[in-house]
Amino acid sequence: RIQILFERPLPYSSKDTPPSKDMVCEGIQEGQPTGDRKSGHLGQENLLEAVPKIPFKDIESGKARQQILDAMSKYGFFYIIDIDRYSPDIEYRQIQKFFNMSTEEKRALATVKHNTGNKNILRGYGFAGSREGYVFEEVFNVGQYETRTITRDQVSCNAEYIAREGNVWPMDGKDFKETIKNGFDVRRNLASLLVREIAKGLGYDELEEKFKEGEFSSFYMKKYQPRSKECNEDIYDETAGYDMMTEDGQVLSIPAHIDTTVTLLATYSNGGLQAELDGQWLDVPVVMDSMLFMTGSLMSELTDGRVKALNHRVLDIKRDRYSTPFFYNPSYHADVSRSMSGKTTKTGEKWDRFGPWQVTQLHRDEPLLLNNTSLF
């Protein structure tokens, strides 16, 4: 994981004096592949061009239920278009404005990993930087709670208490707060609707109930800057097993991985996202003003493999890249030990409840916000 002392000042922000050339990770070069190609292999048809683009109104009416199931079985994802109350241009401008704040403004919102004077552990600002101080990835995370309405003795453990942590916001960020809160609500409602449609389509009505509380559900704003392979050396713990290079030597911003449950992703027309289909990595086509819906390993297990868990990754496109993944998660105490048909899940071989399992996933996959013991 990234090695940064708690009391060390946050590195370079766009409002500060830019880092000198020798502060930046070695090996960053302009003109490397950007991931904006139309197909995964030049000269060949991209099979992902056929992924369905489903209007929100068809999902809301139930008209698209079979189309959703077919897409999740074949591809593991699809696009949602014409989404009510979704304003990607406004979101994009507000997210850019946030990440352009000064170092000190962002430091005031940083998780305790980066600022021991703060109390927020999971929600707030985080980053990854080189040993020389060059920041190449930033994140801001919000959840459903504005204030925590429970006490520690009302829940089972520290992790469940932290999952209900209230959000933190910039002092002068009224428009940002309103935009991001709207973005969270739009995504949570859409994710809930899609889980309901999948549950009904598969005849697994009880699946929806597992998401009733969703304490760990999170909306992430992410900014990626150009990096080299040297930049990536310290992000993830070696035990995570992530490879930050492609087979042909391209640098990755996000390694190949499968999410846990339900993800809605907006890329704001940025390229770089790739998905694996039948053992082949293909560029995910950009669809203007859309969101991608994908499912992860646990969702596949709970549905007896009837929805596909999508393996995906992101290329370093050698310019600033913004995206907003939203993770819609089951309740902390949801039983994940058995599928909807009663079979023991792979997760259930070790874990009965979602929350304790999710803690292990967050410690592994969120080094920009957490240490590997933050939620204990």
Side-chain angles (χ1 to χ4, degrees):
R1 297 183 186 277
I2 192 74
Q3 300 296 313
I4 298 177
L5 298 176
F6 286 138
E7 296 303 326
R8 175 179 173 181
L10 274 82
Y12 164 65
S13 164
S14 59
K15 284 191 176 180
D16 302 322
T17 302
S20 61
K21 186 175 181 179
D22 60 358
M23 287 179 65
V24 180
C25 305
E26 297 178 0
I28 297 178
Q29 300 177 5
E30 296 298 330
Q32 294 184 12
T34 66
D36 291 325
R37 302 185 308 277
K38 186 175 181 180
S39 64
H41 294 271
L42 295 177
Q44 295 183 12
E45 180 185 2
N46 186 352
L47 298 177
L48 297 183
E49 296 284 351
V51 172
K53 302 161 185 65
I54 306 177
F56 170 78
K57 65 179 182 179
D58 289 350
I59 298 171
E60 189 176 38
S61 68
K63 179 181 177 181
R65 188 173 299 165
Q66 190 57 52
Q67 191 178 15
I68 290 170
L69 295 180
D70 291 344
M72 297 311 298
S73 175
K74 184 173 182 178
Y75 300 107
F77 79 102
F78 61 89
Y79 302 89
I80 307 105
I81 59 174
D82 302 329
I83 303 168
D84 284 356
R85 296 176 51 223
Y86 174 49
S87 302
D89 291 342
I90 295 174
E91 282 190 1
Y92 188 73
R93 289 195 296 271
Q94 288 296 327
I95 292 166
Q96 280 187 313
K97 183 178 178 180
F98 172 84
F99 285 118
N100 282 335
M101 292 195 311
S102 70
T103 294
E104 288 309 309
E105 288 173 306
K106 288 184 286 191
R107 180 180 174 79
L109 304 171
T111 62
V112 71
K113 172 179 178 175
H114 302 293
N115 186 345
T116 54
N118 289 343
K119 295 183 179 180
N120 48 305
I121 296 171
L122 177 63
R123 310 302 180 187
Y125 174 76
F127 65 92
S130 72
R131 296 185 182 96
E132 295 78 21
Y134 171 65
V135 172
F136 50 84
E137 188 171 336
E138 298 176 88
V139 64
F140 186 70
N141 174 28
V142 302
Q144 63 180 295
Y145 305 103
E146 288 304 308
T147 58
R148 188 187 279 123
T149 58
I150 58 168
T151 59
R152 170 61 183 84
D153 59 4
Q154 291 178 296
V155 293
S156 63
C157 61
N158 282 337
E160 186 178 0
Y161 185 64
I162 294 168
R164 294 173 178 266
E165 186 175 77
N167 293 320
V168 295
W169 299 100
M171 290 288 292
D172 299 319
K174 180 181 177 182
D175 291 343
F176 174 76
K177 181 178 179 180
E178 289 179 354
T179 299
I180 300 310
K181 286 184 68 174
N182 177 72
F184 183 97
D185 291 341
V186 166
R187 287 162 172 82
R188 181 174 57 178
N189 293 338
L190 178 54
S192 175
L193 174 61
L194 287 163
V195 168
R196 184 181 312 144
E197 287 301 293
I198 290 173
K200 289 181 177 179
L202 296 178
Y204 291 157
D205 291 343
E206 299 86 356
L207 179 64
E208 186 182 357
E209 184 65 22
K210 292 185 182 293
F211 291 80
K212 184 176 181 179
E213 298 294 335
E215 300 94 333
F216 271 128
S217 294
S218 297
F219 183 25
Y220 289 80
M221 284 121 275
K222 305 201 77 171
K223 178 183 180 180
Y224 306 89
Q225 296 193 83
R227 66 182 76 191
S228 71
K229 63 180 181 180
E230 288 80 14
C231 293
N232 281 334
E233 289 177 354
D234 294 325
I235 298 180
Y236 297 101
D237 192 288
E238 290 183 0
T239 59
Y242 290 135
D243 188 347
M244 296 296 289
M245 299 284 288
T246 66
E247 299 78 7
D248 57 356
Q250 294 186 66
V251 176
L252 292 170
S253 295
I254 301 178
H257 69 288
I258 294 171
D259 292 341
T260 54
T261 52
V262 171
T263 303
L264 284 167
L265 177 65
T267 63
Y268 305 104
S269 302
N270 286 295
L273 179 64
Q274 294 188 324
E276 186 180 24
L277 181 66
D278 299 330
Q280 182 181 13
W281 285 103
L282 300 171
D283 293 326
V284 175
V286 171
V287 176
M288 296 291 288
D289 300 340
S290 70
M291 289 189 203
L292 281 75
F293 175 82
M294 66 182 80
T295 47
S297 58
L298 184 58
M299 191 69 167
S300 184
E301 293 172 27
L302 291 172
T303 59
D304 299 291
R306 295 172 69 183
V307 298
K308 184 177 180 178
L310 183 69
N311 194 18
H312 58 288
R313 67 188 185 187
V314 178
L315 299 174
D316 174 21
I317 63 174
K318 300 307 175 191
R319 56 180 170 79
D320 290 354
R321 181 182 188 275
Y322 298 87
S323 69
T324 49
F326 175 82
F327 301 109
Y328 185 60
N329 290 315
S331 304
Y332 192 92
H333 291 288
D335 185 354
V336 296
S337 65
R338 294 188 178 278
S339 72
M340 302 313 297
S341 69
K343 299 176 182 176
T344 299
T345 61
K346 182 178 179 181
T347 300
E349 293 173 2
K350 187 174 181 180
W351 306 97
D352 291 333
R353 305 292 169 181
F354 173 76
W357 176 73
Q358 176 69 349
V359 167
T360 67
Q361 309 302 301
L362 289 172
H363 281 159
R364 181 192 67 193
D365 293 337
E366 299 300 339
L368 275 68
L369 295 167
L370 304 172
N371 292 305
N372 57 13
T373 59
S374 292
L375 301 177
F376 290 152

